[in-house]
Amino acid sequence: MLNDITAHIAKTNGLSGEVAKQALGIVLNAAERQESPFARAMFKTIPGARALAARTGSTIGAPTGIIARLIEQTPGGKRVVAQSMISELHSIGLDHKAIGHLLPTISVYMEEHHDLSGFGHLGDLIGSDLDNEAAAAKAA
């Protein structure tokens, strides 16, 4: 399943398979660091997604400690996580336009293949509103 979503991201966004996998790992790591419903839903639905997020976090040097994770969930911390995610995506060759297409690409795939809707923009990654909570609960 992880290979399928990676192939979808690559094809839809004109990326190599390796860059698509790196991009997905960066997004999942940032989402997981925020305890986002997006991350929880993806981890429950796509085997290997949690491991990809963890490997990517290790590669990019993302904080792993409990205190650091709590700080990252504050308003200022959320901003830093979003900025670091965008910087990491830039570092693998995605420009702003490609980044803008990335989350909707993931969302469309999850909706079409796993009947999981309600995600697809940066607010879903960083935020946690009631619609996203409901979507995550549906994935459970």
Side-chain angles (χ1 to χ4, degrees):
M1 282 191 201
L2 188 59
N3 290 337
D4 295 337
I5 190 169
T6 301
H8 172 76
I9 292 167
K11 180 180 177 186
T12 304
N13 293 288
L15 304 172
S16 71
E18 183 57 34
V19 170
K21 188 173 187 177
Q22 289 174 333
L24 179 60
I26 290 166
V27 169
L28 289 175
N29 178 264
E32 189 264 333
R33 289 161 54 197
Q34 298 299 298
E35 291 194 6
S36 154
F38 174 90
R40 287 193 301 271
M42 290 287 291
F43 295 158
K44 287 183 179 184
T45 307
I46 306 291
R50 184 181 299 277
L52 175 62
R55 278 192 312 274
T56 301
S58 178
T59 300
I60 65 175
T64 57
I66 294 170
I67 301 298
R69 291 290 174 100
L70 289 173
I71 292 168
E72 287 182 332
Q73 294 170 27
T74 66
K78 288 175 184 275
R79 194 169 34 255
V80 169
V81 170
Q83 289 170 337
S84 69
M85 178 189 77
I86 291 168
S87 292
E88 291 297 331
L89 291 169
H90 281 157
S91 75
I92 62 169
L94 277 70
D95 61 13
H96 287 302
K97 184 176 179 181
I99 293 169
H101 288 131
L102 183 62
L103 289 177
T105 299
I106 296 168
S107 177
V108 166
Y109 179 88
M110 293 305 292
E111 187 168 351
E112 289 177 354
H113 296 274
H114 299 286
D115 197 31
L116 178 66
S117 60
F119 301 111
H121 54 79
L122 188 59
D124 299 331
L125 169 67
I126 303 301
S128 175
D129 62 26
L130 295 177
D131 290 338
N132 292 339
E133 293 290 340
K138 183 178 176 183

